[in-house]
Amino acid sequence: ASEAGGQIAWLIPAALLLFVAGLWLRRRMVRTDAARAALIVWGSWLLVTLLTFSLMSGIFHAYYTVALAPATAALVAIGATLLWERRAELWSLALLAAVTLTTCGWAFVLLGRSTGWLPWLRWAVLAAGVLGAVGLLAGHWIRARVLTASVVVAILASLAGPTAYTLQTVATAHTGPIVTAG
């Protein structure tokens, strides 16, 4: 359902990209590698749940999407950490920049669904995402402070949409059993 996008979908593209990147980075590790095992468990959880929701028919409640949150969070954290550990290599920063652009581009789309609510936010997220991504790439050649600042901008840009939805939800009185964000 399209209303589920603002509930959970903010970081799903990043989780999927970082899942694939993480598996590729850990491909030559021993079978018992904890990071690879975690990626497989959380990635399987995310993919099976996404597939289940995609194939569901009948009644679907937006609160079902809470089942996606743990896997999404874990994959973003694990994948981003694995790439950040290789930040001295340009390809790693380029992939982090691509994840930032994808995440902020997707947030731009999701925020565009609520055109009457904070219409400037989608443009701010997009601009900050581009700035963060360019800074990540530039940080390879420029001082470490640029890289650090760019990571902060990229993270803030990536989380601005879901944070705004959360704050709006918390600040709004709701009635009934189902609370929805945004």
Side-chain angles (χ1 to χ4, degrees):
S2 64
E3 78 265 1
Q7 306 306 306
I8 192 66
W10 302 94
L11 296 175
I12 288 177
L16 293 171
L17 289 170
L18 292 167
F19 169 52
V20 171
L23 284 179
W24 183 79
L25 287 170
R26 305 307 283 184
R27 71 191 181 284
R28 292 193 178 120
M29 298 308 229
V30 296
R31 185 180 55 83
T32 56
D33 178 61
R36 186 171 66 184
L39 285 164
I40 291 169
V41 167
W42 292 115
S44 298
W45 176 333
L46 182 65
L47 293 173
V48 167
T49 306
L50 283 172
L51 185 63
T52 301
F53 290 162
S54 297
L55 298 175
M56 280 180 75
S57 59
I59 297 173
F60 177 83
H61 296 288
Y63 64 81
Y64 293 170
T65 60
V66 74
L68 296 166
T72 301
L75 290 170
V76 169
I78 296 166
T81 299
L82 291 172
L83 287 174
W84 184 249
E85 289 171 349
R86 290 157 182 82
R87 66 187 171 274
E89 301 173 44
L90 180 59
W91 67 266
S92 181
L93 291 176
L95 192 49
L96 285 170
V99 169
T100 299
L101 289 174
T102 301
T103 302
C104 293
W106 183 234
F108 182 83
V109 170
L110 292 175
L111 289 166
R113 293 180 179 176
S114 301
T115 56
W117 180 75
L118 296 178
W120 58 268
L121 181 60
R122 69 191 298 234
W123 294 101
V125 166
L126 190 62
V130 169
L131 181 65
V134 168
L136 283 168
L137 292 174
H140 180 72
W141 295 284
I142 305 175
R143 297 187 310 208
R145 287 184 188 172
V146 171
L147 187 57
T148 302
S150 298
V151 168
V152 170
V153 171
I155 291 170
L156 290 175
S158 297
L159 296 178
T163 300
Y165 263 46
T166 300
L167 294 175
Q168 188 275 340
T169 303
V170 170
T172 303
H174 295 317
T175 58
I178 300 174
V179 175
T180 56

